[in-house]
Amino acid sequence: MSTASDLALPVSEHDDATSAARLNWLRAGLLGANDGIVSVAAVLVGVAGAGAGTGPVVAAGTAALVGGAISMALGEYISVSGARDAQRTGQAAQQAQLEADAEDAPTLAAHYRSLGVDDDVAEAVARQLVRPEVRRRRAAAALRDAEDEVVSPWRAAWVSAATFTTGALLPFLAMLLAPESSRVLVTVVAVLVALAATGTTGAVLGGARRGRATVRVVVGGALALAATYAAGALLGTHAF
């Protein structure tokens, strides 16, 4: 005999959506931190590779950090504002209604039967869910859930800027605290270790293979640092 808990699909779907939203925020935070690590480290290593002293390195790194954080914040603000505008113009409502209309009684009944609901109960519930007035209410509920998932543009902007800044502080501190003779090497090692950590964490959150994801991030970061160092060294040698 089925119980009320067998029919708790809307609650479980909401919980799944909430968990997915949190994972998306975590992944977005990791991406922001990665951007901060690589972007600022590349500038620092490039300027240091040109033979610049501590003053120019700090100035360049500060400019990269501030400019990058503002750019990330602006990009997130525009992106989330666009998503919110789409919600308000009715596109999301139309999509929610189309999805509700696309469901049919046999498919819904089969879904509930797969959860262990008795055949007669599953079919009765499915017939109720496809009634026109129920479809409209379900579409409205889906729209409210979708609107709740669209965060504040300002919040998204601040989170993006904060994660970028957090990542950028690592190469900055490594460059400033290391002895001048080995500051580039220390910064590169610190950056690659940090990228390995964020790459592994991102793979775990996304359910991907850890080794492959970590190698991609580390190799990409290493190439960026090598390219900027080479460019800085070339310009420092052939200054004009």
Side-chain angles (χ1 to χ4, degrees):
M1 185 66 180
S2 300
T3 65
S5 62
D6 292 327
L7 302 178
L9 179 60
V11 175
S12 63
E13 284 183 341
H14 177 72
D15 291 341
D16 289 343
T18 301
S19 299
R22 290 174 180 171
L23 287 177
N24 286 336
W25 272 106
L26 288 173
R27 282 194 288 266
L30 286 173
L31 290 175
N34 274 344
D35 285 343
I37 293 170
V38 176
S39 299
V40 174
V43 172
L44 292 171
V45 169
V47 176
T54 301
V57 169
V58 170
T62 301
L65 190 156
V66 173
I70 293 174
S71 177
M72 291 287 290
L74 182 60
E76 281 297 311
Y77 180 84
I78 293 173
S79 176
V80 175
S81 294
R84 173 163 290 186
D85 290 343
Q87 295 280 7
R88 291 173 176 171
T89 57
Q91 294 178 17
Q94 182 180 12
Q95 181 62 29
Q97 188 63 56
L98 289 174
E99 291 177 357
D101 292 342
E103 294 178 333
D104 56 78
T107 300
L108 289 170
H111 175 75
Y112 281 108
R113 281 196 296 269
S114 70
L115 297 177
V117 179
D118 292 342
D119 290 346
D120 55 345
V121 176
E123 292 175 2
V125 170
R127 286 196 299 270
Q128 291 296 316
L129 290 178
V130 296
R131 290 168 53 197
E133 61 272 23
V134 177
R135 286 186 190 273
R136 288 194 294 270
R137 292 171 186 169
R138 294 180 64 207
L143 178 61
R144 286 193 298 271
D145 290 341
E147 289 174 344
D148 290 340
E149 291 177 3
V150 178
V151 298
S152 164
W154 287 108
R155 179 186 174 190
W158 281 112
V159 169
S160 181
T163 55
F164 181 93
T165 302
T166 300
L169 288 176
L170 173 70
F172 219 136
L173 292 175
M175 182 68 71
L176 292 179
L177 297 178
E180 187 170 349
S181 60
S182 59
R183 62 186 182 183
V184 172
L185 177 61
V186 170
T187 300
V188 169
V189 171
V191 166
L192 295 183
V193 170
L195 291 178
T198 57
T200 300
T201 304
V204 171
L205 293 175
R209 295 177 59 180
R210 300 182 188 181
R212 180 178 299 177
T214 302
V215 168
R216 282 199 302 261
V217 174
V218 172
V219 170
L223 290 176
L225 296 178
T228 53
Y229 181 81
L234 181 64
L235 291 174
T237 304
H238 301 85
F240 55 86

